[in-house]
């Protein structure tokens, strides 16, 4: 009837909810989560005092057989968001959550790793077809090394600066839970970067089905793990973070095993992993100290982050070259590598070239 349709449209407009066919209830969580503090009138929000009673009503209703949750948020009150997540997890009725859109702080390193993997494919295919085993191993090793040199400091920097970053983005909100989630989840940058480049290697050697199989296996493990943690532990939203770390970890382990099996390839460890890791740890300590010193002086997270980031870049650059993580030829392969080599030469960080 017309009254029913009008009521349905009103419910969509006011609360982002409606009842679909087959007695499925649609609930949308859009914009920022508004919790204990009111946000500005210019901000699109989902009010948790509207969502929680609706979830309770959905659980209690005999007419509703399932729940579809559409998520497209940009943060907000972490505790209120956690309350909504725990409430959804406690519903016994079949529930499906779809995450739509959104941007992620891990986007830059993952984009770099994807670019490296894509650019590597033609050259690696040529070497593989030409049966140049040495060239294949060298190119794979170099691609992995480049990825790790970018991924390790990104992960450590995100973990060390998680609190000021989250607090700067959401200054009026409770930031501790979000900061802890960023700290725990930062390691997924390394695993996503490694799984991306190893998938590119497998595609280059005509094993395109293997990354798909490995992703499917990892997805199944991810779903089971997250379900188990949500069902049988009190981790709440942290279970999702753990699941998001284990998924790329398992993919890169399976990919790495397949690359070794098909190419007889043994990854170099010291310069690819140990040097970036050690350099990143020292960088993280220096970054934290610089941030704290400037924060004591300025009392501002944003202002203190700028010198901390500059210190991070400089310290990491010096350490990677000083520990011989990159040769001159490898540095030339990086964007602006020749310009960086001029700075490195002035600081005596690179070994001199000797003509044969």
């Amino acid at each position: 009837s017309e009254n029913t349709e009008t009521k349905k449209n009103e419910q969509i407009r006011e609360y982002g909810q409606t009842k679909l066919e087959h007695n499925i209830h649609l609930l949308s969580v859009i914009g920022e989560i508004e919790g204990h503090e009111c946000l500005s009138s210019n901000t699109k929000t989902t009010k948790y005092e509207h969502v929680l009673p609706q979830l309770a009503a959905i659980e209690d209703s005999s007419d509703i057989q399932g729940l579809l949750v559409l998520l497209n948020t940009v943060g907000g009150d972490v505790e209120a968001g956690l309350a909504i997540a725990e409430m959804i997890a406690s519903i016994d009725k079949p529930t499906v959550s779809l995450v739509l859109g959104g941007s992620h702080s891990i986007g830059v390193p993952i984009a770099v790793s994807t670019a490296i993997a894509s650019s590597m494919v033609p050259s690696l295919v040529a070497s593989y077809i030409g049966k140049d085993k040495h060239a294949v191993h060298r190119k794979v090793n170099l691609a992995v090394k480049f990825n790790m040199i970018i991924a390790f400091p990104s992960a450590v920097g995100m973990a060390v600066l998680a609190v000021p970053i989250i607090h700067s983005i959401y200054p009026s909100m409770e930031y501790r839970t979000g900061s802890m989630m960023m700290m725990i989840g930062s390691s997924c940058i390394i695993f996503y970067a490694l799984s991306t480049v190893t998938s590119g290697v497998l595609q280059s050697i005509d094993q395109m089905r293997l990354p798909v199989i490995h992703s499917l296996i990892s997805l199944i493990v991810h779903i089971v793990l997250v379900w188990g943690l949500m069902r049988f532990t009190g981790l709440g939203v942290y279970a999702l973070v753990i699941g998001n770390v284990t998924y790329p970890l398992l993919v890169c382990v399976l990919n790495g095993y397949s690359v070794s099996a098909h190419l007889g390839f043994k990854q170099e460890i010291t310069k690819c992993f140990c040097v970036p890791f050690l350099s990143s740890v020292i960088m993280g300590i220096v970054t934290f100290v610089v941030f704290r010193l400037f924060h004591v002086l300025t009392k501002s997270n944003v202002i203190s982050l700028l010198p901390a980031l500059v210190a991070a870049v400089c310290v990491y650059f010096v350490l990677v070259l000083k520990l011989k993580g990159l040769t001159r030829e490898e540095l030339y392969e990086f964007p602006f590598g020749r310009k960086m080599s001029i700075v490195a030469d002035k600081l005596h960080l690179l070994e001199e070239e000797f003509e044969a």
Side-chain angles (χ1 to χ4, degrees):
S1 67
E2 186 177 343
N3 289 337
T4 303
E5 190 66 26
T6 301
K7 185 178 179 181
K8 185 176 181 179
N9 292 336
E10 183 70 20
Q11 192 177 26
I12 294 174
R13 183 168 58 253
E14 290 295 324
Y15 304 110
Q17 302 179 33
T18 189
K19 193 173 181 181
L20 306 176
E21 294 183 7
H22 309 294
N23 295 324
I24 303 298
H25 189 89
L26 170 66
L27 170 67
S28 61
V29 181
I30 306 296
E32 291 194 41
I33 305 297
E34 185 173 281
H36 304 291
E37 296 184 22
C38 293
L39 297 175
S40 70
S41 58
N42 296 326
T43 304
K44 280 195 173 295
T45 64
T46 295
K47 302 178 187 295
Y48 89 126
E49 67 267 26
H50 290 168
V51 175
L52 295 182
Q54 282 292 327
L55 290 171
I58 290 167
E59 175 71 1
D60 187 59
S61 174
S62 58
D63 295 330
I64 298 175
Q65 302 301 315
L67 173 64
L68 172 62
V69 184
L70 301 181
L71 298 165
N72 190 341
T73 67
V74 290
D77 192 311
V78 176
E79 291 299 328
L82 182 59
I84 293 174
E86 290 177 343
M87 190 77 174
I88 293 173
S90 69
I91 292 178
D92 290 331
K93 294 179 179 180
T95 303
V96 174
S97 299
L98 296 178
V99 181
L100 307 173
S103 59
H104 304 276
S105 51
I106 66 172
V108 173
I110 299 306
V112 171
S113 114
T114 302
I116 291 176
S118 300
S119 63
M120 171 190 66
V121 170
S123 175
L124 192 56
V125 168
S127 298
Y128 182 73
I129 293 175
K131 301 187 184 302
D132 190 344
K133 189 175 180 180
H134 175 73
V136 170
H137 288 186
R138 183 181 64 81
K139 290 172 182 177
V140 173
N141 188 72
L142 198 59
V144 172
K145 180 191 284 190
F146 281 6
N147 266 273
M148 294 302 98
I149 282 176
I150 295 170
F152 269 107
S154 300
V156 172
M158 190 172 293
V160 169
L161 298 176
V163 173
I165 288 173
I166 295 297
H167 199 196
S168 297
I169 297 173
Y170 307 111
S172 63
M173 302 299 178
E174 199 289 316
Y175 58 89
R176 293 177 182 82
T177 303
S179 302
M180 183 58 65
M181 291 169 62
M182 180 178 280
M183 289 180 190
I184 298 171
S186 62
S187 61
C188 75
I189 294 174
I190 298 169
F191 303 135
Y192 269 118
L194 192 55
S195 63
T196 300
V197 75
T198 50
S199 293
V201 172
L202 291 172
Q203 292 168 9
S204 301
I205 61 174
D206 200 26
Q207 297 295 331
M208 289 179 285
R209 62 186 177 83
L210 289 179
V212 178
I213 294 172
H214 298 162
S215 296
L216 179 59
I217 293 172
S218 301
L219 179 60
I220 294 171
V221 173
H222 166 80
I223 293 172
V224 172
L225 176 65
V226 171
W227 178 84
L229 292 175
M230 294 288 287
R231 186 76 175 179
F232 302 110
T233 72
L235 291 173
V237 72
Y238 293 113
L240 301 176
V241 180
I242 294 171
N244 286 339
V245 172
T246 54
Y247 171 78
L249 172 61
L250 186 55
V251 172
C252 69
V253 168
L254 294 173
N255 282 355
Y257 176 81
S258 296
V259 169
S260 298
H262 286 86
L263 293 178
F265 173 72
K266 186 175 181 181
Q267 180 66 52
E268 195 276 331
I269 300 297
T270 302
K271 292 185 177 181
C272 286
F273 297 99
C274 296
V275 170
F277 173 73
L278 179 60
S279 301
S280 298
V281 170
I282 297 173
M283 177 209 75
I285 295 171
V286 173
T287 302
F288 180 77
V289 171
V290 171
F291 172 81
R292 294 303 301 171
L293 287 174
F294 275 86
H295 193 268
V296 169
L297 296 174
T298 65
K299 306 298 182 185
S300 169
N301 283 326
V302 176
I303 295 175
S304 303
L305 280 171
L306 295 177
L309 292 174
V310 172
V313 172
C314 295
V315 169
Y316 186 72
F317 176 73
V318 170
L319 286 172
V320 166
L321 296 182
K322 204 67 178 175
L323 295 174
K324 296 180 172 56
L326 285 172
T327 65
R328 184 181 298 274
E329 291 74 19
E330 290 170 346
L331 183 60
Y332 287 164
E333 298 290 331
F334 272 88
F336 306 105
R338 293 188 178 273
K339 292 182 179 180
M340 288 191 287
S341 71
I342 295 173
V343 177
D345 284 332
K346 290 182 178 179
L347 297 175
H348 305 290
L349 300 175
L350 287 173
E351 293 182 354
E352 296 294 331
E353 285 185 308
F354 297 98
E355 293 186 2

